[in-house]
Amino acid sequence: MAVLLQATGLKKHFPLKRGLFGKSQVVHAVDGVDFEVAEGETLGLVGESGSGKSTIGQMVVRLLQPTSGTILYRGRDIAHLSPAEALEFTREVQIVFQDPYSSLNPHKTVGQTLARPFRIHGAARNGAEIQARILDVLRDVGLNEAFIGRYPHEMSGGERQRVCIARAIALRPKLVVADEAVSSLDVSIRAQLLNLLKDLQRKYSLAYLFITHDLATLRSVAHRVAVLYLGKLMEIGTTEDVIRRPSHPYTRALLASVPIPDPVAARKRTASELGGSIPSPVEPPPGCRFHTRCPEARDVCRTDEPALRAFGAQRAACIPDVVERLRAE
Amino acid sequence: MLLKVEDLRTHYKLPDGRAVRSVDGVSLDVAAGEIVAIVGESGCGKSTTALSILRLIRPPGHIASGRVVFNGVDLIGLPEERMRDIRGKDIGMVFQNPVTYLNPVERVGDQIAEAAILHLGLGRKEARAKVIEMLGQVRIPAPERVAQSYPHELSGGMNQRVLIAIAMICRPSLVILDEPTTALDVTIQREIINLIRDLKARLGVSMIFITHDFGLVAELADRVYIMYAGCVVEHGSVFDVFREPLHPYTQALLGAVLSINEYKETLVSIEGSVPDLKAPPSGCRFQSRCPRAMPKCAEAPLLKEHRQGHAAACWLYP
């Protein structure tokens, strides 16, 4: 399938203000990441706090400007778009955030919120047409006309998130960034929304950049997974490959940490721990970012940063013989 | 039985005189040395149940009726000073966001020592030794250094260990853990899971573990209570409940749970939403969302043992 989005050498550094006398420092939030999203596919970005996954999402929708590196959308560099192209871009690439309450204007009804995209983009000729389009998009997300006059506080969390999804898909985008979009919802509501996102993907051949800390969700949602640690890509591959044959020690540790909702299986396995804690992105460790917690770490890992290499259909940033051994196990 | 909660009802009064019945007739048992999980979605009353056991319900909430028999004594009738003695000494507590329960301007060692000095009457030196020992028990590396740190100098996982150390220092027979890993990263959560297992095995302490995460229930619990809209709808051993969930709500919840071990094309979802607890429907509270509802459900089903130790409140099992 055709590549929709391509990120190359993506970096985002945030300067830290330390007053007049403090040393100037930078947070290395994203530090050289490459990935692609194809049309109609779901790429999962997974990582713990400080991995840079949300920063990547915000760069993809142009809410943040990369410090360096490029993001090509359908072959065009999104850092250099004319105003007309930028408008076109916002029509095709949208985002849904974690907390629907803070991403909806509390003073606006659902109808007003959903009318905006059509107005801004001149996508409907008159009020009646806007109303018709709003109704269509509400139905798309499993709501009905009764919601048009409602305010955010009059809805449940699940309903609010449906409105956010409706706003994102109103103009039939090609790519939606879902940043922990279902993470704060209850199990039963989360299931409803994941089903909805999958239905919309089939119906409109949407691509998702699905950002989450939850590997169990990714298993049923993402076609491919990119594993991030401290602003770097550790491993990328199809979801099946990454979960069945994790090729990086970090992916392995992450998978071993996830609780399994099956008491028999959960008690059978010996869940090893990583130990240590995630280092500060202000002074990330030299060499491999993960070496301070890696059970496989060697001397070379403390000085040389491993490149992302292909192993089968996957790519992993680790010493080849470690990867080969992990894959053989 | 270490703890026996009988027909507990906790209500929150609204300004208009009505009451939200957050906990509406909950009964549960905790035996010595077991981990009991209370699981349910937001608003089901699981945290309120825990706070009621500790008698930490603040106005406009109050415990309307019921018994909380701990070591043979009903806590509901105890004077507040006696209760203060039990909290932290006989029953420990660990909550979700460790930092909000720690004093930011006091060294964590002093905060851990406080309970030991207050409840066990230890002197400075003994308390100090006890703190260092306790930090070792919760597997904190370099306990001497950590004891001298302030909460902001420690990571989230470390602070949660500190909170567990505070809860455990008086060697309580019961610890209540309310979503203790929800705010933590997966790899740190794993460490806390292993620590909880380890403390249970080594010290034989009983625990009530409150969570919305079935993964954690499967990892940790011996027995599980499923709550919905203020009531227990099912309870049993963790193996029975996962293998053969009885109540349609439990069945649906387990169908909606995602696992890293399994790809699910379409997830089971529960349509509709939780009933309003200001005016809960008469009869079974789940009936409006239940795929197997029948006329009989207009009458509230009682919790009945279907098999040894496995009970459900549903007319499918009369």
Side-chain angles (χ1 to χ4, degrees):
Chain A
M1 250 188 283
V3 172
L4 195 60
L5 187 95
Q6 182 167 31
T8 315
L10 200 57
K11 284 191 185 182
K12 181 71 195 178
H13 296 172
F14 295 101
L16 267 189
K17 293 212 169 63
R18 280 281 162 93
L20 283 176
F21 301 99
K23 204 165 73 180
S24 71
Q25 288 179 306
V26 289
V27 177
H28 300 73
V30 178
D31 218 9
V33 167
D34 304 332
F35 63 89
E36 292 173 3
V37 184
E39 278 176 21
E41 84 160 341
T42 301
L43 173 68
L45 279 187
V46 69
E48 299 181 277
S49 2
S51 64
K53 54 193 191 302
S54 290
T55 306
I56 291 176
Q58 295 191 16
M59 287 193 280
V60 165
V61 294
R62 303 207 334 149
L63 281 173
L64 286 175
Q65 241 179 28
T67 306
S68 65
T70 54
I71 300 176
L72 303 182
Y73 176 72
R74 300 225 227 184
R76 300 241 349 141
D77 186 343
I78 65 168
H80 306 102
L81 297 177
S82 69
E85 286 170 328
L87 191 65
E88 180 65 21
F89 177 80
T90 59
R91 189 189 174 109
E92 298 200 356
V93 181
Q94 280 291 324
I95 186 163
V96 177
F97 294 101
Q98 173 166 5
D99 178 8
Y101 205 62
S102 58
S103 46
L104 290 172
N105 186 332
H107 301 295
K108 290 207 164 137
T109 63
V110 170
Q112 289 166 331
T113 293
L114 293 182
R116 259 179 82 94
F118 298 115
R119 292 235 162 80
I120 290 169
H121 291 272
R125 278 187 303 273
N126 51 45
E129 202 172 309
I130 290 179
Q131 285 302 307
R133 296 284 298 271
I134 290 175
L135 264 180
D136 281 347
V137 74
L138 279 176
R139 278 195 206 106
D140 268 344
V141 298
L143 300 176
N144 55 36
E145 66 268 16
F147 284 85
I148 288 181
R150 286 205 197 150
Y151 288 93
H153 74 268
E154 298 173 307
M155 295 183 283
S156 68
E159 287 162 354
R160 282 197 285 265
Q161 196 58 301
R162 283 177 194 265
V163 172
C164 291
I165 294 171
R167 177 174 60 187
I169 63 153
L171 297 167
R172 302 282 155 78
K174 301 267 187 253
L175 173 67
V176 172
V177 175
D179 187 357
E180 302 276 12
V182 299
S183 302
S184 60
L185 301 168
D186 271 320
V187 189
S188 66
I189 310 296
R190 186 173 67 197
Q192 291 174 7
L193 286 181
L194 288 173
N195 285 337
L196 171 65
L197 289 173
K198 284 180 146 193
D199 288 346
L200 291 171
Q201 178 163 61
R202 274 190 290 269
K203 197 165 165 193
Y204 298 122
S205 51
L206 267 176
Y208 292 120
L209 184 61
F210 197 92
I211 299 170
T212 183
H213 66 281
D214 180 7
L215 280 145
T217 300
L218 278 186
R219 176 70 191 259
S220 291
V221 171
H223 301 106
R224 288 191 305 128
V225 175
V227 182
L228 293 160
Y229 184 79
L230 267 185
K232 290 271 187 190
L233 208 54
M234 297 287 118
E235 176 166 0
I236 184 166
T238 68
T239 309
E240 286 298 307
D241 281 346
V242 171
I243 287 175
R244 292 237 171 106
R245 298 176 84 188
S247 299
H248 193 285
Y250 177 62
T251 316
R252 218 168 200 228
L254 205 55
L255 290 171
S257 297
V258 180
I260 299 177
D262 172 352
V264 181
R267 276 148 226 243
K268 249 188 219 154
R269 70 175 179 170
T270 45
S272 55
E273 293 172 14
L274 264 186
S277 52
I278 304 171
S280 159
V282 176
E283 286 170 74
C288 173
R289 295 267 154 120
F290 184 55
H291 85 252
T292 55
R293 301 171 77 196
C294 184
E296 308 280 349
R298 297 158 192 199
D299 285 342
V300 60
C301 306
R302 292 175 239 285
T303 50
D304 295 4
E305 196 174 325
L308 204 60
R309 293 189 189 87
F311 298 91
Q314 281 151 275
R315 280 179 294 157
C318 187
I319 303 169
D321 51 309
V322 170
V323 176
E324 297 296 354
R325 206 190 68 239
L326 292 183
R327 288 168 65 82
E329 275 175 22
Chain B
M1 205 55 68
L2 180 69
L3 179 79
K4 213 168 170 54
V5 175
E6 289 169 13
D7 202 27
L8 181 72
R9 287 168 204 272
T10 302
H11 298 171
Y12 284 86
K13 274 220 179 74
L14 295 173
D16 64 8
R18 288 185 300 169
V20 178
R21 291 187 250 167
S22 300
V23 177
D24 207 17
V26 165
S27 299
L28 60 89
D29 297 335
V30 181
E34 76 171 347
I35 301 186
V36 168
I38 305 180
V39 60
E41 300 184 278
S42 350
C44 71
K46 55 190 190 298
S47 291
T48 308
T49 301
L51 291 174
S52 303
I53 291 170
L54 293 160
R55 280 197 25 211
L56 288 173
I57 300 292
R58 295 219 183 120
H62 71 287
I63 297 172
S65 66
R67 279 154 53 85
V68 175
V69 182
F70 175 69
N71 271 333
V73 179
D74 185 3
L75 302 184
I76 300 296
L78 285 188
E80 180 56 29
E81 309 98 82
R82 277 283 290 126
M83 200 57 219
R84 228 176 286 154
D85 222 28
I86 288 172
R87 281 187 217 117
K89 183 170 177 235
D90 302 301
I91 307 180
M93 321 150 241
V94 177
F95 297 102
Q96 181 174 343
N97 284 310
V99 186
T100 51
Y101 294 93
L102 291 171
N103 183 342
V105 294
E106 193 182 1
R107 295 180 201 276
V108 299
D110 292 334
Q111 301 189 50
I112 300 169
E114 195 182 312
I117 293 168
L118 189 75
H119 291 299
L120 306 180
L122 298 187
R124 284 177 59 89
K125 231 180 174 170
E126 296 160 302
R128 209 189 144 85
K130 186 99 183 151
V131 167
I132 302 299
E133 184 216 317
M134 208 54 231
L135 286 171
Q137 294 270 14
V138 296
R139 289 193 276 162
I140 284 183
E144 296 275 359
R145 188 178 56 76
V146 170
Q148 290 173 37
S149 308
Y150 292 95
H152 76 270
E153 298 173 304
L154 302 175
S155 66
M158 278 298 181
N159 278 318
Q160 194 58 283
R161 284 167 197 265
V162 168
L163 217 60
I164 294 174
I166 294 175
M168 299 286 301
I169 193 160
C170 296
R171 289 292 156 82
S173 41
L174 177 68
V175 177
I176 298 180
L177 304 119
D178 190 355
E179 304 267 11
T181 64
T182 306
L184 303 175
D185 274 318
V186 213
T187 55
I188 311 300
Q189 168 173 275
R190 169 55 57 195
E191 295 174 13
I192 300 293
I193 292 174
N194 289 356
L195 174 65
I196 291 172
R197 280 183 181 162
D198 181 51
L199 288 173
K200 180 203 162 195
R202 269 191 299 130
L203 308 177
V205 57
S206 300
M207 302 188 194
I208 297 180
F209 187 86
I210 291 165
T211 182
H212 65 278
D213 185 342
F214 273 97
L216 291 175
V217 174
E219 294 269 351
L220 284 169
D222 298 308
R223 287 191 310 116
V224 54
Y225 287 79
I226 318 281
M227 283 188 71
Y228 183 76
C231 304
V232 171
V233 296
E234 178 164 355
H235 68 84
S237 91
V238 71
F239 296 102
D240 289 345
V241 170
F242 275 79
R243 191 178 54 233
E244 201 190 335
L246 299 172
H247 200 283
Y249 177 62
T250 317
Q251 290 169 358
L253 268 187
L254 283 171
V257 167
L258 292 166
S259 168
I260 192 150
N261 285 345
E262 187 192 358
Y263 171 82
K264 288 187 177 173
E265 178 63 35
T266 313
L267 305 168
V268 177
S269 63
I270 307 174
E271 297 309 317
S273 50
V274 178
D276 184 357
L277 293 183
K278 289 190 283 287
S282 58
C284 172
R285 302 225 163 142
F286 188 58
Q287 58 177 307
S288 63
R289 305 173 77 188
C290 184
R292 304 184 66 181
M294 46 193 165
K296 187 110 174 104
C297 301
E299 211 179 303
L302 292 176
L303 206 53
K304 255 197 187 149
E305 212 167 68
H306 179 61
R307 232 181 286 102
Q308 173 92 52
H310 189 181
C314 179
W315 290 116
L316 291 172
Y317 315 95

